[in-house]
Coordinates of all heavy atoms in Angstrom, one line a residue:
A226 N 42.5 107.3 -2.2 CA 41.4 106.9 -1.4 C 41.6 107.4 0.1 O 42.7 108.0 0.4 CB 41.2 105.4 -1.5
E227 N 40.6 107.1 0.9 CA 40.7 107.4 2.4 C 40.5 106.1 3.1 O 39.7 105.3 2.7 CB 39.7 108.4 2.8 CG 39.9 109.8 2.3 CD 39.0 110.8 2.8 OE1 38.0 110.4 3.6 OE2 39.1 112.0 2.3
M228 N 41.4 105.9 4.1 CA 41.3 104.7 4.9 C 39.9 104.5 5.5 O 39.3 105.5 6.0 CB 42.4 104.6 5.9 CG 42.5 103.2 6.7 SD 43.9 103.2 7.8 CE 45.3 102.9 6.6
G229 N 39.4 103.3 5.5 CA 38.2 103.0 6.1 C 38.1 101.5 6.6 O 39.1 100.8 6.9
D230 N 36.8 101.1 6.7 CA 36.6 99.8 7.3 C 35.4 99.1 6.6 O 34.7 98.3 7.2 CB 36.2 99.8 8.8 CG 35.0 100.7 9.1 OD1 34.4 101.3 8.1 OD2 34.6 100.9 10.3
T231 N 35.3 99.4 5.3 CA 34.2 98.8 4.5 C 34.5 97.3 4.3 O 35.6 96.9 3.9 CB 34.0 99.4 3.1 OG1 35.3 99.4 2.5 CG2 33.6 100.8 3.3
D232 N 33.5 96.4 4.5 CA 33.6 94.9 4.5 C 34.8 94.3 5.3 O 35.3 93.3 5.0 CB 33.8 94.6 3.0 CG 33.2 93.3 2.6 OD1 32.5 92.7 3.4 OD2 33.2 92.9 1.4
T233 N 34.9 95.0 6.5 CA 35.8 94.4 7.4 C 35.5 94.9 8.8 O 34.5 95.7 9.0 CB 37.3 94.7 7.1 OG1 38.1 94.0 8.0 CG2 37.6 96.2 7.3
N234 N 36.1 94.4 9.8 CA 35.7 94.7 11.2 C 36.6 95.7 11.9 O 36.5 95.9 13.1 CB 35.6 93.4 12.1 CG 36.9 92.7 12.0 OD1 37.9 93.2 11.6 ND2 36.9 91.5 12.5
S235 N 37.6 96.3 11.2 CA 38.4 97.4 11.8 C 38.9 98.3 10.7 O 38.9 97.9 9.5 CB 39.6 96.7 12.5 OG 40.4 96.0 11.6
V236 N 39.5 99.5 11.1 CA 39.9 100.4 10.2 C 41.3 100.0 9.8 O 42.2 99.8 10.6 CB 40.0 101.9 10.8 CG1 40.6 102.9 9.8 CG2 38.5 102.3 11.2
K237 N 41.5 99.8 8.5 CA 42.7 99.3 8.0 C 42.8 99.4 6.4 O 41.7 99.5 5.8 CB 43.1 97.8 8.4 CG 42.0 96.8 7.9 CD 42.3 95.5 8.4 CE 41.2 94.5 7.9 NZ 41.4 93.1 8.5
L238 N 44.0 99.3 5.9 CA 44.2 99.1 4.5 C 44.7 97.7 4.2 O 45.7 97.3 4.8 CB 45.2 100.1 4.0 CG 45.7 99.8 2.5 CD1 44.5 100.1 1.5 CD2 47.0 100.6 2.2
H239 N 44.0 97.0 3.4 CA 44.5 95.7 2.9 C 45.2 96.0 1.6 O 44.5 96.4 0.6 CB 43.4 94.7 2.8 CG 43.8 93.4 2.2 ND1 44.5 92.5 3.0 CD2 43.7 92.8 0.9 CE1 44.8 91.4 2.3 NE2 44.3 91.6 1.0
F240 N 46.5 95.6 1.5 CA 47.3 96.0 0.3 C 47.8 94.8 -0.3 O 48.4 93.9 0.3 CB 48.4 96.9 0.7 CG 49.4 97.4 -0.4 CD1 48.9 98.1 -1.4 CD2 50.6 96.9 -0.4 CE1 49.8 98.5 -2.5 CE2 51.6 97.2 -1.4 CZ 51.1 98.0 -2.5
E241 N 47.7 94.6 -1.6 CA 48.1 93.5 -2.3 C 49.0 93.9 -3.5 O 48.7 94.9 -4.1 CB 47.0 92.6 -2.9 CG 46.1 91.9 -1.8 CD 45.0 91.0 -2.4 OE1 45.1 90.8 -3.6 OE2 44.2 90.5 -1.5
L242 N 50.0 93.0 -3.8 CA 50.8 93.1 -5.0 C 50.6 91.9 -5.8 O 50.8 90.8 -5.3 CB 52.2 93.4 -4.7 CG 53.2 93.3 -5.8 CD1 53.0 94.4 -6.8 CD2 54.6 93.4 -5.4
R243 N 50.2 92.1 -7.0 CA 50.1 90.9 -7.9 C 51.1 91.0 -9.0 O 51.2 92.0 -9.7 CB 48.7 90.8 -8.6 CG 47.5 90.8 -7.6 CD 47.2 89.4 -7.1 NE 46.1 89.4 -6.1 CZ 45.1 88.6 -6.2 NH1 45.0 87.7 -7.2 NH2 44.2 88.5 -5.2
V244 N 51.8 89.8 -9.2 CA 52.7 89.6 -10.3 C 52.2 88.6 -11.3 O 52.1 87.5 -11.0 CB 54.1 89.1 -9.7 CG1 55.1 89.0 -11.0 CG2 54.7 90.1 -8.8
N245 N 51.8 89.1 -12.5 CA 51.1 88.3 -13.5 C 49.9 87.6 -12.9 O 49.6 86.5 -13.1 CB 52.1 87.2 -14.1 CG 53.1 87.9 -14.9 OD1 53.0 88.8 -15.6 ND2 54.4 87.3 -14.7
G246 N 49.2 88.4 -12.0 CA 48.0 87.9 -11.4 C 48.2 87.1 -10.1 O 47.2 86.9 -9.4
K247 N 49.4 86.7 -9.8 CA 49.6 85.9 -8.7 C 50.0 86.8 -7.5 O 50.9 87.7 -7.5 CB 50.8 84.9 -8.9 CG 51.1 84.0 -7.8 CD 52.4 83.1 -8.0 CE 52.7 82.3 -6.8 NZ 53.9 81.4 -7.1
P248 N 49.3 86.6 -6.3 CA 49.6 87.4 -5.1 C 51.0 87.1 -4.6 O 51.4 85.9 -4.5 CB 48.6 87.0 -4.1 CG 47.5 86.2 -4.9 CD 48.2 85.7 -6.0
V249 N 51.9 88.1 -4.4 CA 53.2 87.9 -3.8 C 53.3 88.9 -2.6 O 52.6 89.9 -2.5 CB 54.3 88.3 -4.8 CG1 54.2 87.3 -6.0 CG2 54.2 89.7 -5.3
N250 N 54.3 88.6 -1.8 CA 54.5 89.4 -0.6 C 55.0 90.8 -1.0 O 56.1 90.9 -1.7 CB 55.6 88.7 0.3 CG 55.8 89.4 1.7 OD1 55.2 90.4 1.8 ND2 56.8 88.9 2.4
P251 N 54.3 91.8 -0.8 CA 54.7 93.1 -1.2 C 55.8 93.8 -0.4 O 56.5 94.7 -0.8 CB 53.4 93.9 -1.0 CG 52.6 93.3 0.1 CD 53.0 91.8 0.0
T252 N 56.1 93.2 0.9 CA 57.0 93.9 1.8 C 58.3 94.1 1.1 O 59.0 95.2 1.2 CB 57.2 93.1 3.1 OG1 55.8 92.9 3.6 CG2 58.0 93.7 4.1
P253 N 58.9 93.1 0.4 CA 60.3 93.3 -0.1 C 60.3 94.3 -1.2 O 61.4 94.9 -1.5 CB 60.6 91.9 -0.7 CG 59.7 90.9 0.0 CD 58.5 91.7 0.3
Y254 N 59.2 94.7 -1.7 CA 59.2 95.7 -2.8 C 59.0 97.1 -2.3 O 59.1 98.2 -3.0 CB 58.0 95.4 -3.8 CG 58.2 94.2 -4.6 CD1 57.9 92.9 -4.1 CD2 58.5 94.2 -5.9 CE1 58.0 91.7 -4.7 CE2 58.7 93.0 -6.7 CZ 58.3 91.7 -6.0 OH 58.4 90.6 -6.8
L255 N 58.5 97.2 -1.0 CA 58.1 98.5 -0.5 C 59.5 99.2 0.1 O 60.4 98.6 0.6 CB 57.2 98.3 0.7 CG 55.8 97.8 0.2 CD1 55.0 97.4 1.5 CD2 55.1 99.1 -0.4
Q256 N 59.5 100.6 0.0 CA 60.6 101.2 0.5 C 60.2 102.6 1.0 O 59.1 103.1 0.6 CB 61.7 101.5 -0.6 CG 61.1 102.1 -1.9 CD 62.2 102.3 -3.0 OE1 63.2 101.7 -2.9 NE2 61.9 103.0 -4.0

Side-chain angles (χ1 to χ4, degrees):
E227 291 183 1
M228 185 172 286
D230 58 358
T231 55
D232 215 358
T233 188
N234 54 11
S235 63
V236 177
K237 62 184 177 182
L238 168 69
H239 177 72
F240 178 68
E241 294 184 8
L242 171 64
R243 301 276 179 131
V244 178
N245 294 320
K247 180 182 178 182
V249 299
N250 185 0
T252 305
Y254 295 79
L255 292 165
Q256 57 182 12

